């Protein structure tokens, strides 16, 4: 009923799937019509909102033969063709696995000329892979997100993710971003402090004290406007 002529039926079908947990959607794989989903995704008359649903469904029942089509849409310079980019990237990576990340890295994460909306879409796709599926190891997802630290004006988008996935190896880079922040990148400071607050490594507390001497106001804001985070467990000693 997704594209039923009865608008009420079509909307109801869409709403039911849009609120369905991903693991339940995965269980429906045997009942999915792969060819119909493929046709809808490539139909320019399909609305973007519906395309955002059909693409993840294709990710569940897709085949390697779908990869050239998905890659073409991801690389397209036509914004209409790459509508629903976060879903496109997530679907592409479901079928391609870690080998698909270099394309995403080059186009949207490492590329300083990429538009904000496209970069954010790529980040959202990687969050999905880090949180909801296990096709790509978290360490490899983090490796891609870490590229954003080379783009100081957007680095704040991924710092909470790096903390959540315990990428403590980014500490030195983050401290450097704090120290080198200017008027255009000043909003990176509070996320950096919050990263250090949850980091279990002993040097993290010392870094907070160091940064407090440089900019006490940013450290105060981090402590005032964000609940005291629970530190992550200390890394096991080898």
């Amino acid at each position: 009923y997704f594209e039923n002529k009865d608008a009420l039926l079509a909307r109801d079908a869409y709403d039911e799937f849009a609120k369905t947990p991903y693991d339940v959607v995965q269980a429906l794989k045997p009942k999915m019509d792969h060819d119909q989903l493929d046709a809808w995704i490539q139909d320019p008359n399909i609305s973007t909102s519906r395309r955002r649903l059909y693409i993840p469904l294709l990710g569940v029942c897709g085949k390697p033969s779908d990869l050239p089509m998905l890659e073409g849409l991801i690389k397209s310079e036509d914004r209409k063709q790459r509508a629903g980019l976060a879903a496109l990237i997530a679907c592409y990576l479901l079928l391609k696995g870690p080998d698909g990340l270099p394309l995403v890295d080059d186009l949207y994460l490492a590329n300083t000329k990429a538009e904000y909306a496209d970069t954010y879409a790529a980040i959202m796709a990687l969050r999905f892979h880090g949180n909801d599926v296990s096709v790509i190891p978290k360490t490899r997802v983090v490796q891609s997100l870490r590229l954003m630290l080379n783009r100081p004006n957007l680095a704040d988008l991924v710092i909470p993710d790096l903390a959540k996935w315990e990428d403590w190896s980014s500490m030195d880079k983050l401290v450097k971003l704090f120290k080198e922040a200017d008027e255009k990148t000043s909003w990176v400071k509070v996320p950096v402090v919050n990263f250090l607050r949850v980091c279990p490594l002993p040097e993290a507390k010392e870094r907070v004290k160091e940064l407090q001497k440089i900019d006490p106001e940013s450290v105060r804001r981090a402590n005032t406007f964000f609940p005291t985070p629970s530190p992550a467990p200390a890394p096991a000693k080898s």
Side-chain angles (χ1 to χ4, degrees), residues 34-35 37-39 41-42 58-59 61-73 91-92 95:
H34 169 276
D35 293 343
L37 289 169
D38 181 73
I41 290 168
Q42 297 192 67
L58 183 68
C61 67
K63 308 170 184 177
S65 57
D66 295 315
L67 287 169
M69 178 270 291
L70 292 168
E71 185 171 323
L73 295 175
C91 177
Y92 174 72
L95 302 179

Side-chain angles (χ1 to χ4, degrees), residues 123-144:
I123 293 170
M124 291 294 290
L126 291 186
R127 283 179 183 156
F128 166 73
H129 275 271
N131 292 325
D132 299 318
V133 292
S134 56
V135 174
I136 302 173
K138 276 191 177 66
T139 52
R140 182 59 186 87
V141 174
V142 165
Q143 182 182 332
S144 288

Side-chain angles (χ1 to χ4, degrees), residues 2 20 24 30 39 43 61-62 71 73 84 92-93 102 116 137 151 160 162-163 178 191 195 225-226 229 233:
F2 279 139
T20 301
V24 177
D43 184 347
C61 67
E71 185 171 323
L73 295 175
Y92 174 72
L93 295 176
Y116 173 88
R151 300 172 65 181
L162 299 180
F178 185 105
F195 176 97
F225 297 110
F226 294 88

Side-chain angles (χ1 to χ4, degrees), residues 23 38 69 74 78 87 101 105-106 110 117 147 149 168 170 174 179 192 217:
D23 58 341
D38 181 73
M69 178 270 291
I74 290 171
D78 183 341
L101 281 171
D105 293 347
D106 291 344
L147 293 171
L149 302 186
W168 311 131
S170 292
L174 292 172
K179 292 180 177 180
V192 168
E217 179 58 24

Side-chain angles (χ1 to χ4, degrees), residues 9 13 15 29 36 72 76 86 136 157 159 162 164 170 176 193 215 234-235:
L9 282 175
D15 289 344
K29 178 178 178 178
Q36 180 62 81
S76 175
I136 302 173
L157 294 176
I159 295 174
L162 299 180
K164 178 180 180 179
S170 292
K176 187 171 184 286
V193 174
D215 185 350

Side-chain angles (χ1 to χ4, degrees), residues 151-223:
R151 300 172 65 181
N153 59 321
L154 298 179
D156 62 303
L157 294 176
V158 303
I159 295 174
D161 300 294
L162 299 180
K164 178 180 180 179
W165 295 327
E166 301 179 12
D167 178 35
W168 311 131
S169 63
S170 292
M171 185 190 303
D172 290 343
K173 178 70 173 180
L174 292 172
V175 169
K176 187 171 184 286
L177 285 175
F178 185 105
K179 292 180 177 180
E180 296 180 352
D182 55 24
E183 292 182 358
K184 295 181 179 179
T185 61
S186 60
W187 51 79
V188 80
K189 291 183 174 182
V190 170
V192 168
V193 174
N194 285 332
F195 176 97
L196 295 172
R197 291 168 70 204
V198 300
C199 178
L201 301 179
E203 56 263 41
K205 291 183 179 180
E206 297 304 315
R207 292 302 185 93
V208 172
K209 293 178 182 177
E210 178 185 351
L211 298 184
Q212 189 169 20
K213 293 178 181 178
I214 297 172
D215 185 350
E217 179 58 24
S218 290
V219 176
R220 185 194 69 79
R221 283 203 305 273
N223 285 292

